[in-house]
Amino acid sequence: MSLFNQIVSKSIMFVPGPIVSIFARKYIAGKALDDAVQVTRKLNSQGIKSTIDVLGEFISTKSEALWFKNQALEVLKTIRRNGIDANLSIKPTQMGLKLDPDFAYANIEELVAYAKSIHNFVRIDMEDISCTTQTINFYHRLRQAYAPHVGTVLQSYLRRTVDDIRGMSSAPMHIRLCKGIYNEPRQHAYKHPEVINRNYVLALEKLFEHKAYVGIATHDPVLIFEASRLIDKFGLKPSEYEFQMLLGVDEQLRHIITAQGHNLRVYVPYGSSWLPYAKRRLKENPDIARHAIKQMLGLKSHQ
């Protein structure tokens, strides 16, 4: 990691919001749902799907949770009304997980039930380790009645992930597989990048063995190569998996993936609660800040 990237990674959580916003614009569609719709339309015109997320997490009151649930419902209704190729991503803490798990489950079930009624899909995102078991339990319960319309996320940096796959393998699985971004204790998470990558490949192979539909969420060329190798090994059709990427990251790679005949979905977040998300993204990928600084100075930026 370059000195610049080390400085960004270590200091980003202490940088004021107005400064972060300069560097984070590529990551976020905007503050309004209309912004996410416009971004999705552009992606769809390039043959790319989206998953729309209302930014916000770890809320402190049930009224906030109900507000986010209603916003999420509006996302699903807007997708249907506009005829765009998109689905919905939500966070359990956004729905009240830390306040009342039963209350949160009821909110999520309402969203998934509505998604089923309009033939759409809800992804239950994975948050930090304090939420992992409960999130997987929610998914276990929901897929019994809504299997094609609900999925969750597994993270390859967690030591438990392969065991979680085995625990879910008795029924159809719809999983986004990513590396993971929260700073977890060593007893829960692998810390070495090569080990995280190797566990990603192992987890992906286990998911394919169990005939899971996987959202292969990565920008890592090594993992994309390994995923392509496994797709070929298992003889999968493009309709049986998809690649997933974040908004604002490596647009050239997007086009490489779609040109190879793979389906691709881009994560499109929007909303006023953008700061925690943006700081995590910049901590994970400080090159975004480097590119933004070059643009501000009128220099060419090579990605």
Side-chain angles (χ1 to χ4, degrees):
M1 182 182 287
S2 70
L3 178 60
F4 176 86
N5 285 13
Q6 289 181 46
I7 292 170
V8 172
S9 184
K10 291 181 181 298
S11 64
I12 192 61
M13 293 304 175
F14 306 101
V15 176
I19 296 175
V20 175
S21 69
I22 297 170
F23 304 125
R25 288 170 185 159
K26 289 182 68 176
Y27 282 132
I28 298 160
K31 292 186 177 181
L33 177 53
D34 284 347
D35 298 320
V37 170
Q38 292 307 311
V39 169
T40 295
R41 286 192 191 281
K42 183 177 179 180
L43 291 168
N44 287 175
S45 72
Q46 300 167 3
I48 299 170
K49 310 170 191 290
S50 85
T51 185
I52 298 177
D53 178 89
V54 188
L55 289 170
E57 55 197 281
F58 293 102
I59 50 86
S60 56
T61 66
K62 287 187 175 180
S63 61
E64 288 178 275
L66 292 173
W67 185 88
F68 275 112
K69 181 196 70 175
N70 289 333
Q71 292 298 302
L73 277 172
E74 186 57 32
V75 170
L76 288 169
K77 292 175 182 177
T78 299
I79 290 170
R80 185 187 189 194
R81 187 164 57 245
N82 285 271
I84 53 178
D85 195 345
N87 59 32
L88 171 70
S89 286
I90 59 169
K91 292 180 173 60
T93 61
Q94 191 181 58
M95 298 294 132
L97 176 63
K98 293 292 187 178
L99 304 177
D100 181 343
D102 291 336
F103 169 76
Y105 180 84
N107 287 334
I108 295 171
E109 184 174 26
E110 182 179 342
L111 294 171
V112 175
Y114 182 72
K116 180 180 179 180
S117 75
I118 62 169
H119 309 289
N120 208 317
F121 178 86
V122 176
R123 176 77 65 189
I124 308 171
D125 276 341
M126 191 60 71
E127 299 175 89
D128 68 26
I129 193 67
S130 69
C131 303
T132 304
T133 296
Q134 190 69 70
T135 300
I136 290 173
N137 288 343
F138 280 5
Y139 177 57
H140 271 297
R141 293 170 62 187
L142 287 163
R143 68 177 173 164
Q144 294 177 22
Y146 309 101
H149 304 282
V150 63
T152 192
V153 180
L154 294 176
Q155 302 165 98
S156 72
Y157 77 155
L158 292 185
R159 298 176 185 273
R160 61 179 285 172
T161 291
V162 172
D163 287 334
D164 285 332
I165 292 169
R166 293 191 185 103
M168 288 190 282
S169 63
S170 59
M173 291 183 283
H174 200 307
I175 301 295
R176 176 196 293 150
L177 180 64
C178 64
K179 288 186 182 182
I181 196 170
Y182 294 89
N183 185 19
E184 304 293 8
R186 187 181 180 190
Q187 64 264 33
H188 295 301
Y190 298 114
K191 296 296 184 178
H192 195 287
E194 183 179 349
V195 176
I196 294 169
N197 272 15
R198 292 180 68 179
N199 199 45
Y200 191 106
V201 176
L202 175 61
L204 183 58
E205 186 164 22
K206 294 298 181 185
L207 286 164
F208 283 160
E209 284 176 359
H210 292 294
K211 302 187 184 305
Y213 183 97
V214 186
I216 306 163
T218 182
H219 313 96
D220 187 325
V222 173
L223 292 183
I224 290 170
F225 171 83
E226 291 291 346
S228 298
R229 178 182 64 81
L230 290 173
I231 288 164
D232 184 64
K233 174 183 174 180
F234 285 92
L236 299 179
K237 301 173 183 177
S239 60
E240 296 175 315
Y241 65 91
E242 64 187 45
F243 283 91
Q244 297 185 353
M245 297 179 68
L246 297 171
L247 185 66
V249 180
D250 205 338
E251 294 183 17
Q252 184 180 48
L253 183 57
R254 286 188 204 165
H255 299 302
I256 291 171
I257 289 171
T258 55
Q260 292 175 340
H262 303 295
N263 286 319
L264 176 66
R265 188 178 303 275
V266 169
Y267 181 78
V268 177
Y270 80 93
S272 57
S273 301
W274 56 269
L275 188 57
Y277 173 82
K279 286 187 174 183
R280 285 201 302 271
R281 294 278 79 85
L282 286 166
K283 183 177 176 66
E284 178 189 36
N285 188 5
D287 282 336
I288 291 291
R290 183 193 301 276
H291 300 321
I293 289 171
K294 287 183 176 181
Q295 290 169 4
M296 290 164 63
L297 296 176
L299 302 174
K300 291 185 178 180
S301 179
H302 301 286
Q303 294 194 42

